[in-house]
Amino acid sequence: MSGSLPTPQDVRDAAARIAPHIVRTPMLRHRLLDQMTGGTILVKPEVLQRTGSFKLRGATNAAMRLPEAARGAGVVTHSSGNHGQAVACASAMLGMPALIAMPMDAPAIKVESTRRWGAEVTFFDRRTTDRETLASRLAAERGGTVLPPFDHPDVIAGQGTLALELFEDAKAAGLTLDGLAVCTGGGGLIAGCALAAEGASPSTAIWAVEPEGWDDTKRSLEAGARIANDGQGETICDALLSMRPGEITFAVNQPRLAGAVVVTRAEVFRAMRFAFEHLKIVVEPGGAVALAAVLAGKVDARGKVVGVVISGGNVDPAVFAEALAA
């Protein structure tokens, strides 16, 4: 790793490292999506990834980068579910124990899947617990290593591999992306995508998309410093409820992002329904925000080639039913 911040080369190295252990998800297109947006939309469906989200990329890269001497004591992380599942899966692959601290209101489907990979789960109250402090304490008790969900160079580099794949598939189709809309919580995925673009598609504008009430990246970019959420917004997009951008992710993102937009609950549900009815994929609320932004015209695709990251599909059945009925 070069210095304290990841680089485009780190993303390329991560792609080679994790390739045998992840799914290279396809590039999807749909004529109706192009007609509705006025552009050429290239969808990256990470719902088809092992564990159902992009998080496996960063977790696998970070786990594989751990020294052999550190693997015996295992890893600890905090997660609303997708990163937890990913760390559990990567740890199982390497034969390491994993302890995942999850919010008490995490979707049951994510808790069950995390346990299915063999990880131990402990719960915390997301409104009263500092999750970083909790993870550090648990790791210290066990002698393990914290693998944070986004603010880590190896995690960021791994996440960026999905953008590298999309740029390659677009090029193979004779297309160059004018823009890329990315679901954003703590900023690890979009940081990796921004680094990938810097190295492979520097003309692509990278747009962060956040749920209403959790727009810390948007406000931080506008302020020029990390600004926290108040934690009082609704929690439907459970995968994107980070309190503020990470130190590393914001350092990567601030000079590289074109901007950030915010989508509503209704726009998220519309995107989930569109993905189900037309793309034939199941998308969780947090995974649908980038598609929501393009469908709502908040990321303008008119006359452009725009990539859309659909970041995960681990949705509670009751929430999915609500989205389809909306």
Side-chain angles (χ1 to χ4, degrees):
M1 192 66 64
S2 305
S4 60
L5 296 180
T7 67
Q9 184 60 50
D10 293 323
V11 179
R12 290 189 289 270
D13 291 345
R17 185 177 298 116
I18 69 176
H21 307 291
I22 63 159
V23 173
R24 184 188 175 105
T25 53
M27 180 179 77
L28 301 182
R29 297 184 60 182
H30 197 286
R31 183 178 299 177
L32 180 60
L33 189 53
D34 291 353
Q35 291 174 348
M36 291 174 67
T37 61
T40 300
I41 309 302
L42 310 180
V43 175
K44 186 63 168 171
E46 285 292 293
V47 301
L48 303 177
Q49 189 56 256
R50 296 176 66 210
T51 74
S53 90
F54 76 95
K55 290 284 192 176
L56 184 63
R57 297 172 180 271
T60 300
N61 190 51
M64 293 182 73
R65 295 265 299 165
L66 280 177
E68 287 287 345
R71 294 183 181 181
V75 294
V76 175
T77 196
H78 57 87
S79 168
S80 66
N82 285 337
H83 178 64
Q85 292 174 73
V87 169
C89 178
S91 298
M93 176 190 75
L94 294 172
M96 297 189 301
L99 173 62
I100 317 298
M102 301 183 73
M104 290 185 292
D105 60 350
I109 189 173
K110 295 184 177 182
V111 176
E112 292 165 6
S113 180
T114 301
R115 285 175 167 153
R116 195 175 300 124
W117 288 108
E120 180 184 350
V121 175
T122 186
F123 294 99
F124 64 89
D125 185 336
R126 72 164 76 239
R127 297 189 184 278
T128 61
T129 303
D130 182 300
R131 55 185 70 190
E132 287 82 9
T133 300
L134 173 62
S136 295
R137 177 177 62 80
L138 293 172
E141 290 173 356
R142 295 167 176 247
T145 302
V146 176
L147 286 187
F150 53 85
D151 210 28
H152 189 289
D154 293 328
V155 172
I156 292 167
Q159 315 302 33
T161 61
L162 73 82
L164 277 186
E165 293 174 3
L166 185 59
F167 295 140
E168 291 168 359
D169 290 348
K171 183 178 181 179
L175 299 169
T176 299
L177 275 78
D178 297 301
L180 178 64
V182 184
C183 312
T184 304
L189 172 58
I190 195 168
C193 290
L195 290 170
E198 183 176 295
S201 187
S203 64
T204 302
I206 311 296
W207 289 91
V209 186
E210 299 174 291
E212 196 171 43
W214 298 88
D215 58 344
D216 49 297
T217 293
K218 182 176 189 296
R219 291 183 293 112
S220 297
L221 290 173
E222 292 167 351
R226 294 190 300 146
I227 304 295
N229 296 310
D230 62 13
Q232 300 305 306
E234 70 163 80
T235 59
I236 192 68
C237 293
D238 63 276
L240 303 179
L241 305 187
S242 301
M243 287 304 296
R244 64 175 178 171
E247 290 184 22
I248 299 172
T249 60
F250 190 66
V252 172
N253 288 328
Q254 186 180 18
R256 292 176 174 86
L257 301 191
V261 300
V262 177
V263 294
T264 66
R265 178 189 180 102
E267 289 164 345
V268 167
F269 278 1
R270 178 191 180 207
M272 292 171 66
R273 183 169 179 172
F274 182 93
F276 176 70
E277 293 181 343
H278 302 292
L279 302 179
K280 306 305 178 186
I281 55 176
V282 172
V283 184
E284 66 186 279
V289 298
L291 179 60
V294 171
L295 286 171
K298 292 181 174 179
V299 171
D300 185 10
R302 291 174 295 179
K304 301 175 183 177
V305 179
V306 175
V308 171
V309 176
I310 295 183
S311 58
N314 296 310
V315 58
D316 182 88
V319 172
F320 190 64
E322 184 182 356
L324 296 186

